[in-house]
Structure formats: C-alpha cells, structure tokens
Amino acid sequence: MDLTPFEPFLDRLGRSGLGAWRSTLAASIALRLGARAHGDLPRWERALAQLPDLPSARSRLDRACVGLQGAGALDADLGRSLSEALMVLHPWRKGPFCIQGVHIDTEWRSDLKWDRVAQAIAPLADRLVLDVGCGNGYHGWRMLGAGARLVMGIDPTLLFVLQWLAINRYLERDDLAVLPLGIEDLPGDLTGFDTVFSMGVLYHRRSPIDHLMELQRLLRPGGELVLETLVLEGEGERLLVPPGRYAAMRNVWFIPTVDALAVWLGRCGFTGIRVVDVTPTGQDEQCSTAWMRFQSLPDHLDPIDSSRTVEGHPAPVRAVLIANRPEASP
Ligand SMILES: Nc1ncnc2c1ncn2[C@@H]1O[C@H](C[S@+](CC[C@H]([NH3+])C(=O)[O-])CC(=O)[O-])[C@@H](O)[C@H]1O
C-alpha cells in the first residue's frame, strides 16, 4: 500500500488551517506503511478491488447505521458480491454500517457510545477534529454527519484503515480519513484541532498522564477534549492496575475512578472538567455477530456473576469526560 488512498484527504488538510503539517504527516504515513507490512494485506487489497460498483444512492451519516441508502433493494447477485468482499475484512468491530441493504452488524453498537457523547459536546459544526484511535472511522462519519469541517482519524491497525477505505469506496468523502498512525507517530509540533477525541484509548497507554498532555498539545487554546475510557465505579481517587488480563484484554494498564481521572486532567492543566456520562457496557452494546465471529464481552464475564470479569475484576464501566485546553498557558 502507498500514499495514494490518503492523498485526497491530505490535499483537503493542506487547504485547512492545518496545511503546514501536510508534508510531515505524509512522510509519517509512508514510514509507517513501510514498517507495517501485514501478511493479510494483499488479501484485503484484493477484496477492496473486488467491491462492486453500485447504483447511485444517498449517503446517510446522521443515523445509527452509517452508509448508503438506495431507492430499492440491490439485485441479489450484486448484494452477494458486496457482502463477500466486505466479509474478507472480518472482524468488523465498530459500526453498524448499511450499504444499500447490506447490514454490517458489528461487534460494537458504536452508535450507543456516539449518542452518549454527542449530546454533551460542543457543536461540531465547522470544527477541525482529531479522533485518536478511531478504529474504522465509524465515529468520524458521525462527526461529519454532525457538521465537522474535517475529521482526521488515526489508528495503527491496518485492517481498520482498509475497512474505512471499503466504506469510503461508496461514500467518497475527502474530509475524513483513517490514517495508519499511532498517536506517537504524529509530528511533535502538531496542534490546532478544535476538538480532540480519545475514546477507548487511555487504558491502552502505559503512560496515561503523557497521553493527556499529548492530547492537550494537539488542541488549539480553548479547544475541547472528549475523553472516553474504562473507569472504576465509586467515589474517591482509586486505580485498578490489572496484574494480568482485564476482560481477556492483555493491554489494559490503568482503570481509574472518575474522581482520579478528573484530578489527572486538572494536573495536566485542563479546565472546565466535567463528567458527562458513566455507563456499564452491556451485552446489547458489545457481542459477537456474523461480522465479528470471535469471542466478545459475554464470553469475558464471569458466567455466574456478570458484575465481574472472568479474572474477577469489576465488569467494564465506561465514562465520558469533557475538558478544555486553557485559552492561554498559565
Ligand atoms: N498508539 C495508538 N495510537 C492511536 N490509536 C491506537 C494506539 N494503540 C491502539 N490504538 C487503537 O485504539 C483503538 C482502541 S478501540 C476504540 C475505538 C474507538 N475510538 C471507539 O471508541 O469505539 C478500544 C475499544 O474497543 O473500545 C483500536 O482501534 C486500536 O487500534
């Protein structure tokens, strides 16, 4: 894979207030693509090439199932070749997507998280947005649906980049991209986003305070951070560092209470810190489906006591916190 699929977005970025970083970002993407050859990439690229042309239809970014809505049902053969090509990109974790009657029923009902977040954030109209750890871009599409001017998603997992390319083969937008980058690959002086989302990422970072500081630097003064992460329920400053896996995940490092998170944000210099949602993750939000056939949340909870993970930790609860970069440095 080369830079070609990212160029329309990079051109658009070049014309935005972030144009100064176009060439450094392009160089980082080229570097990461060179370093991240994946054995399955040729198979995924063949699937992309096999996606069929579809009759013209209306794109829908403003409802739970993101995608394309046509006037009628697709011809059965066309529907089958579309499903088969998309299924090569299994596992589909984030969604759902509906492409002219083909319903990609993903592991996560990401629309439920979006509903919790969207009602609490500053209106996205005309904002430059960064979505760190954006997966296949599901929330990015919803951000465009809410009026964002440009959404730069970054995610180091190449399969999710390919899933975004598959969806964008039909939605044809140049104002959203899933760039194959980790947050550590971003230029050290990049800044200027109006809103930065970090959802489902903090607990994967070994240095959570550094992550919060990086997110702050990426914002323009006064810009808004939307932080969504696993939390421990209860009052006071407490922290779980799982000694091994957490709900079968190997890379979960820190699960703080919301009080501890608020202190961390304050220590990093954020202002206007508020907790806008705390919700246990239910099996209606995360489970195996035909499009994600591996094990999922129900398999990772204690079969007798679903308030505990299989390791005996409290079952997943997620919080959304909002905070602002100060207008001027103290
Ligand atoms: N260093 C990194 N830099 C950026 N992203 C990373 C890094 N390491 C892993 N990721 C990516 O962070 C994402 C975490 S999932 C959240 C998806 C979405 N935000 C959601 O809220 O549904 C967790 C969850 O399932 O909630 C994955 O796509 C990783 O590839």
Side-chain angles (χ1 to χ4, degrees):
M1 178 181 267
D2 63 13
L3 271 180
T4 313
F6 308 101
E7 262 157 9
F9 173 82
L10 289 171
D11 289 345
R12 182 78 177 240
L13 182 98
R15 298 191 299 274
S16 76
L18 301 167
W21 285 280
R22 186 198 187 286
S23 57
T24 351
L25 278 167
S28 303
I29 297 168
L31 199 68
R32 295 313 289 172
L33 286 174
R36 270 206 196 105
H38 191 292
D40 283 323
L41 185 58
R43 195 167 63 85
W44 295 337
E45 288 186 311
R46 272 197 306 278
L48 270 193
Q50 278 162 8
L51 286 170
D53 291 334
L54 298 180
S56 66
R58 191 155 68 100
S59 48
R60 299 298 305 263
L61 308 180
D62 57 348
R63 56 175 193 172
C65 210
V66 161
L68 270 191
Q69 191 172 29
L74 275 190
D75 162 82
D77 285 343
L78 202 51
R80 197 170 319 111
S81 36
L82 175 60
S83 291
E84 283 172 5
L86 290 169
M87 193 56 96
V88 176
L89 303 179
H90 174 272
W92 283 83
R93 295 194 180 274
K94 308 296 175 171
F97 296 97
C98 300
I99 308 287
Q100 299 235 39
V102 171
H103 177 210
I104 306 178
D105 181 17
T106 47
E107 177 189 18
W108 284 84
R109 285 278 313 273
S110 307
D111 55 304
L112 301 181
K113 182 187 290 190
W114 181 248
D115 290 345
R116 295 193 292 270
V117 165
Q119 44 87 26
I121 61 179
L124 288 177
D126 209 31
R127 286 171 91 97
L128 294 175
V129 176
L130 174 66
D131 187 5
V132 175
C134 63
N136 62 20
Y138 174 86
H139 292 127
W141 295 112
R142 302 300 304 270
M143 293 168 201
L144 288 187
R149 175 147 54 106
L150 183 95
V151 181
M152 179 166 123
I154 58 167
D155 202 294
T157 305
L158 216 43
L159 175 63
F160 302 154
V161 176
L162 273 283
Q163 290 179 352
W164 160 68
L165 282 170
I167 299 297
N168 203 38
R169 158 82 163 69
Y170 297 112
L171 295 185
E172 299 184 292
R173 299 286 291 245
D174 65 359
D175 43 3
L176 165 69
V178 176
L179 305 179
L181 300 173
I183 189 168
E184 60 284 1
D185 300 317
L186 293 177
D189 60 348
L190 178 61
T191 188
F193 291 95
D194 299 304
T195 305
V196 171
F197 290 83
S198 167
M199 303 197 289
V201 176
L202 185 75
Y203 52 84
H204 290 318
R205 305 300 293 158
R206 279 183 296 183
S207 301
I209 302 286
D210 287 341
H211 182 65
L212 298 177
M213 296 294 267
E214 283 163 12
L215 298 171
Q216 182 169 158
R217 186 255 304 163
L218 289 158
L219 284 164
R220 64 153 165 85
E224 184 170 274
L225 170 68
V226 182
L227 180 68
E228 193 263 3
T229 192
L230 287 170
V231 292
L232 274 188
E233 278 187 303
E235 309 264 298
E237 282 177 64
R238 289 178 302 113
L239 179 67
L240 169 68
V241 179
R245 295 184 180 217
Y246 174 83
M249 289 184 279
R250 251 167 302 180
N251 53 356
V252 173
W253 292 95
F254 296 95
I255 306 185
T257 55
V258 286
D259 290 343
L261 262 183
V263 171
W264 295 0
L265 286 164
R267 275 298 301 273
C268 292
F270 283 98
T271 57
I273 301 159
R274 56 236 187 252
V275 181
V276 296
D277 183 73
V278 179
T279 301
T281 307
Q283 303 185 13
D284 56 334
E285 186 165 354
Q286 187 189 11
C287 65
S288 309
T289 66
W291 291 81
M292 204 305 286
R293 298 182 302 272
F294 302 145
Q295 290 196 329
S296 185
L297 180 66
D299 308 292
H300 302 146
L301 296 179
D302 183 327
I304 294 165
D305 175 6
S306 64
S307 71
R308 296 269 143 195
T309 67
V310 281
E311 303 86 6
H313 301 304
V317 175
R318 290 172 173 256
V320 181
L321 283 87
I322 301 210
N324 294 92
R325 178 175 174 167
E327 286 292 347
S329 303

